[in-house]
Amino acid sequence: MNDPVFLRACRGESVAHVPVWFMRQAGRSLPEYRALRGTGSILEAIADPALACEITLQPVRRYGVDAAILFSDIVVPYHAIGFGVDVVPGRGPVIARPFRSAADLGRLRDLEALDIAHVTDTVDLVVKELAESDTPLIGFAGAPFTVASYLVEGAPTRDFGVIKSLMHADPALFERLLDRLVAITVTFLRAQVAHGARALQLFDSWAGSLTRDEYARFALPATQRVLAGVADLGVPTILFGVGTGELLTLMSTAGSTVLGIDWHVDLDEGRRRAAKPVQGNLDPARCLGDAALGVAAAREVLARAGTDVGHVFNLGHGVLPSTDPAVLEAVVRVVHDEGRAGVR
Ligand code: CP3
């Protein structure tokens, strides 16, 4: 009954106000983040628990959001097992020796607790700091297809040509790759919950590059196995991808508690397709103007969200780096004041 509104909305329960948080809230647009971060690699910042804890808490203090998300990255477990990942500023994850053949399967060993001690140490620190306000921490991982797209392509891509060639040319090898990623992802997520994360988000950011047939064959089964692998933990799970309008009915069968809706789909239509609690879906670009423009855009989303239970307000993808924090502060206020979904 007294659970935080974020957890209640995830479970489709009534809330005192509509909860809100922002994907990529930790970092990016915050000047206090840039001041702390300096110019080192993001992977070094993630490896420093005191620093990563502080970056996780900055947006909670600044925005008054209803959940924290761990300052980490979807490539962290693969960096931790020595796959050879770097994150290049302004570009994203780059792999020195991309996954191309069965010989590369041996480079994807199981994740052990010690490999990610820096992550679980950060979770410990954050959970302690959030105890007083009872703000839940969201743990996360990349979904197998999206992680595979980085490991196989070797760098961010627009056309997904290398991974699509691999999956169609050698589906058995692709299957074995996904098996490795499922095991690593389940271990990574379970560790975060064991240390106090109270919800989990699975980022299948690039699932929208797939057709429905491809999604059903090459992405959904592995995602289902990841979600089944954490189901006994009893924490709500959120599955999110970009450009997934045509995939939402399939994604809603993956087993997550909540389905993330990106901004291409009107939220009322997204709710129909998801048929479960949803998270979303303000276009991050509509937060690049002044606060009044951001608030007007947020009101459009609130109108589409309606009054039924089961809405977690968020952007339709991550905060854009040039966003003025004052706009996000104003969005939080209007969601809390005017959101009606499940408010009793
Ligand atoms: O939500 C949060 O604020 C928590 C932290 C978080 C980061 N990455 C930190 C980060 C989360 C949830 C992620 C997830 C992530 N990482 C995704 C899925 C979310 C999405 O956007 O779809 C993906 C695809 C990645 C891989 C990745 N890491 C990309 C594409 C980039 C962008 C490169 C850039 O510089 O713009 C990163 C780097 C990254 N991860 C940054 C942050 C704060 C920015 C770079 C930095 O500060 O050095």
Side-chain angles (χ1 to χ4, degrees):
M1 188 61 201
N2 292 323
D3 262 357
V5 285
F6 166 72
L7 298 177
R8 293 185 58 86
C10 285
R11 297 194 193 105
E13 297 165 3
S14 63
V15 288
H17 63 261
V18 172
V20 49
W21 69 280
F22 303 112
M23 292 184 276
R24 297 291 194 94
Q25 68 188 15
R28 294 267 167 120
S29 65
L30 284 177
E32 56 267 38
Y33 166 77
R34 288 196 286 267
L36 256 188
R37 257 281 273 121
T39 52
S41 155
I42 190 181
L43 293 170
E44 281 166 31
I46 289 167
D48 178 342
L51 180 61
C53 170
E54 174 57 22
I55 294 172
T56 301
L57 297 174
Q58 281 177 343
V60 179
R61 288 189 208 114
R62 163 82 81 137
Y63 299 128
V65 283
D66 296 279
I69 183 153
L70 190 68
F71 179 70
S72 177
D73 197 88
I74 61 169
V75 297
V76 161
Y78 307 92
H79 177 65
I81 60 169
F83 195 80
V85 186
D86 197 10
V87 179
V88 178
R91 186 148 181 244
V94 173
I95 313 291
R97 285 194 295 136
F99 183 97
R100 294 290 158 80
S101 73
D104 295 314
L105 288 166
R107 297 165 57 208
L108 289 165
R109 67 163 171 84
D110 281 339
L111 194 62
E112 312 213 344
L114 205 58
D115 299 322
I116 49 165
H118 55 297
V119 176
T120 48
D121 285 352
T122 304
V123 175
D124 288 339
L125 293 175
V126 169
V127 164
K128 215 163 103 197
E129 292 285 333
L130 292 175
E132 201 183 316
S133 63
D134 201 23
T135 305
L137 173 67
I138 304 168
F140 72 91
F145 168 75
T146 288
V147 168
S149 77
Y150 285 111
L151 301 190
V152 172
E153 296 275 347
T157 169
R158 277 176 191 281
D159 52 28
F160 299 86
V162 186
I163 187 167
K164 286 187 186 176
S165 299
L166 176 74
M167 66 173 61
H168 287 288
D170 194 346
L173 175 61
F174 192 68
E175 202 55 42
R176 291 173 73 196
L177 167 59
L178 292 179
D179 282 348
R180 298 307 312 132
L181 303 185
V182 167
I184 291 166
T185 306
V186 168
T187 303
F188 189 52
L189 291 172
R190 293 188 73 91
Q192 295 174 64
V193 173
H195 285 259
R198 292 164 79 183
L200 292 170
Q201 178 151 327
L202 204 50
F203 284 96
D204 210 351
S205 301
W206 312 136
S209 66
L210 300 173
T211 65
R212 279 178 65 89
D213 282 348
E214 286 172 332
Y215 181 79
R217 185 169 169 210
F218 297 114
L220 178 61
T223 296
Q224 282 169 329
R225 275 152 61 211
V226 169
L227 290 165
V230 298
D232 63 303
L233 300 175
V235 301
T237 53
I238 306 163
L239 176 62
F240 169 78
V242 183
T244 54
E246 296 301 319
L247 305 178
L248 288 175
T249 53
L250 288 170
M251 291 176 79
S252 79
T253 69
S256 68
T257 322
V258 179
L259 194 56
I261 312 289
D262 80 282
W263 76 94
H264 298 92
V265 179
D266 291 335
L267 196 59
D268 46 353
E269 178 59 21
R271 292 193 95 172
R272 266 192 294 280
R273 293 184 191 180
K276 62 170 70 183
V278 295
Q279 173 175 284
N281 74 341
L282 175 58
D283 182 349
R286 303 244 355 234
C287 296
L288 294 179
D290 62 19
L293 280 173
V295 164
R299 284 191 173 122
E300 293 172 23
V301 173
L302 292 174
R304 299 264 185 198
T307 57
D308 288 354
V309 293
H311 179 219
V312 174
F313 195 101
N314 204 314
L315 303 180
H317 194 188
V319 175
L320 294 166
S322 58
T323 308
D324 179 349
V327 177
L328 298 183
E329 285 169 33
V331 168
V332 169
R333 233 172 292 128
V334 74
V335 171
H336 284 171
D337 290 349
E338 299 180 18
R340 287 291 162 261
V343 175
R344 303 284 180 269

